Structures are given as structure tokens and as C-alpha cells.
Amino acid sequence: MYSMKIAALLLVGMAMAAMSVGALANGEDCNIKEVVGQTWLATGTVTDVDGQTFYMQGKDNNSYKIDTHKAEIMIGEVKVEHYLLKAGDTVRVYGTVGDGCKINASRVRIFTAEELSSGVLPEGAGPAKEVKIIIEKDTEPGCAPCGNQWRGRGLITYIDYLAKRLKVQTPAGHYTIDIGNVPLIYGATIIGLAQLNQGDAVKISGNIVGVNEVQAQTIRVTRSRSEAENSLPLTPASVAGLIEQVDYPSFTFRMRTENSELVISVDEDTVIQRQLTRISMLDLKPGMRVKMTGYGSPGTGYAAQHIQIISAP
């Protein structure tokens, strides 16, 4: 009987020890301080690759284990199907915190050599500061300490009625808005998704869920397309100037004209040409003289429909 009690105590002790080890998996000994299931975003360098798992040295000098089984891989702004990560790659990882002190990635963005040479990596160390970098710059008053919350205004440039997603042009660039089942409000009326149109001006609040991606919590139409057509953001524009700075991740660049400095936003439908050859956003460099045609205003920025390179340094 005495030996049975000792055995029972030993079993209880082993179980408690196992529970303690499990508790520490995301505890004090783990570099990941966020709660399991919380969204996570950071930039760093790949140090080792093991199949669909790799290890990343973050900008906070901590090492993170990244699981890419369900992740989409992007090189620059292009999704790729067959790319093998290698040590030395500079990546930005977006995902959720998983059990066992790891990150379950949903997107891994690999920076190209052109981006690295242009110095487009965001400043800051660690996930918390990375999230602050991608928050809409044109936030509502009082939203500076909002964490991953986002508030902004802009024009609808594209509507995916099936997926319930919008693309919205804001003064800080293009954002993709996931609508979900959020009610759409126009004045004092709740309207249906089918009543939205390209060109509608909207005011949106929600949460950052990826690079320039927002999960909406409220969407309010502040001006319909017919009302917006007479406003500045839809004013056709054609200007020429010198590119001063290119921000590849946000698909924007700054251009100096004779009278002012303009912010130009580019999207996948923008035609960029050097002579008769179509090129990509990554081919735009500071010092190039370009002609931009599109719409917008100095106060809200411009959305480019066509960019023609006049000369390059």
C-alpha cells in the first residue's frame, strides 16, 4: 500500500511538471509576449530553414519560429507559388501567435534587392512598433494611441461584391477593406452592399489585419459618387515632375513639380511605361522625370492611371 502511494505521488508530480513545461511554452522563457491567437507582424532576417518552418532574427534581436504551412509567399507585391526561403532573406511576416512559442504565418513578404537598396524597410524594433508603421497616417483626431485600430477616409476605387471587399484610395495610399457583415450606413439609413459604387466617399474604422489591410468595424458613406464627382479627389489631373522618394510597400511615391510636392498612389491597374515598354512599380527610382495622369488634388494626393517616364538619371 505504501509503495502504491509513492507511485501515485510520483505520477502526480510528473503530471504537474509536464503542466509547468507546457505553461512556460508561451511564458517567461518565450520571446513572444503576445497572447496565443493575437495577430503578429514583424520584419527580420531568415537565419535557418527547416521545410515549411523557418527561424527569423527580428529587428528586436530575438529569434522567432515561423510556420508557413498556410502562408502565401510574396516577392515584393507579387504572389509566388514555388519559392524556397533561404538564410539571409529579409522578410516581413504577418500571422497569429500559436502554441509552442511560434508564429503561424498567413503571409510572408520577401523584400527584393531593389527594395533593400532603396532603404524601404520600416524603422522600429519588434512587432508592436511594426504595427504602428502600417496604421493609416490620416487617422481621426485622438487615434494616435489606438494600437492596431485604424480610422480613415477615402474614395472607393474597386468593389468585390462576392468577397465583400473594398479598395479605398486614402491620402496615405490604397487600402483593402474587408467588410464582412458590417452594416453600411448612409445618412441615417442602413444600405446594402449592392448600393455602393466606385467613387463613393467613405469613412471607415476597423482593425489592421495586414499590410494596408483593414477589417472594418464601421463603414459610413459620407458622399455618394454623384456628389463626389464634383469634389476635388476625382478631379482629373496631368502633371510632370521629378521623383524624389519611392515607398514600394505602400505603392506610393513623392514627386516634385515646379510649384509643389505631390504624393502619387499606384495600384495594379496603373500603366507605367518607359518609351513603349511597360514596366513595374519597382522600376521607378528617385531622380526620374515622369508625367502622371490620373485624378486627385494636392490636399488628398493623386491616384495614377498612367505614368510615362520622360527621362532617367
Side-chain angles (χ1 to χ4, degrees), residues 269-283:
D269 296 322
T270 303
V271 176
I272 306 175
Q273 289 182 305
R274 179 188 285 121
Q275 295 180 348
L276 298 178
T277 302
R278 185 163 181 173
I279 58 177
S280 72
M281 171 76 176
L282 293 176
D283 295 307

Side-chain angles (χ1 to χ4, degrees), residues 74-96:
M74 311 282 291
I75 296 180
E77 300 296 329
V78 180
K79 182 178 178 180
V80 295
E81 298 296 335
H82 306 289
Y83 180 84
L84 297 178
L85 284 165
K86 60 185 182 297
D89 281 343
T90 301
V91 296
R92 179 180 292 155
V93 178
Y94 171 73
T96 57

Side-chain angles (χ1 to χ4, degrees), residues 72 107 165 175-176 178 207-215:
E72 64 176 8
R107 175 181 293 179
R165 290 163 68 90
Y175 281 77
T176 299
D178 292 315
N207 293 317
I208 292 285
V209 295
V211 178
N212 284 32
E213 294 184 14
V214 175
Q215 179 67 54

Side-chain angles (χ1 to χ4, degrees), residues 34-45:
E34 289 80 2
V35 178
V36 172
Q38 184 174 336
T39 56
W40 191 92
L41 176 70
T43 299
T45 304

Side-chain angles (χ1 to χ4, degrees), residues 161-265:
Y161 295 96
L162 186 61
K164 295 184 177 181
R165 290 163 68 90
L166 306 176
K167 288 190 177 181
V168 176
Q169 167 69 30
T170 76
H174 281 84
Y175 281 77
T176 299
I177 312 296
D178 292 315
I179 301 174
N181 296 317
V182 173
L184 308 173
I185 303 172
Y186 184 28
T189 305
I190 295 179
I191 62 174
L193 178 60
Q195 293 173 268
L196 285 182
N197 293 286
Q198 292 184 33
D200 285 351
V202 288
K203 178 181 178 181
I204 299 170
S205 65
N207 293 317
I208 292 285
V209 295
V211 178
N212 284 32
E213 294 184 14
V214 175
Q215 179 67 54
Q217 293 177 328
T218 63
I219 300 178
R220 183 177 295 275
V221 179
T222 59
R223 193 172 54 229
S224 67
R225 178 176 180 174
S226 59
E227 295 170 323
E229 284 177 345
N230 296 320
S231 65
L232 287 175
L234 282 181
T235 302
S238 179
V239 292
L242 196 69
I243 295 178
E244 292 192 329
Q245 182 183 12
V246 185
D247 185 354
Y248 299 99
S250 67
F251 263 42
T252 62
F253 64 90
R254 293 185 178 275
M255 182 174 76
R256 170 68 62 180
T257 68
E258 291 182 0
N259 302 315
S260 61
E261 184 181 76
L262 310 177
V263 177
I264 311 295
S265 296

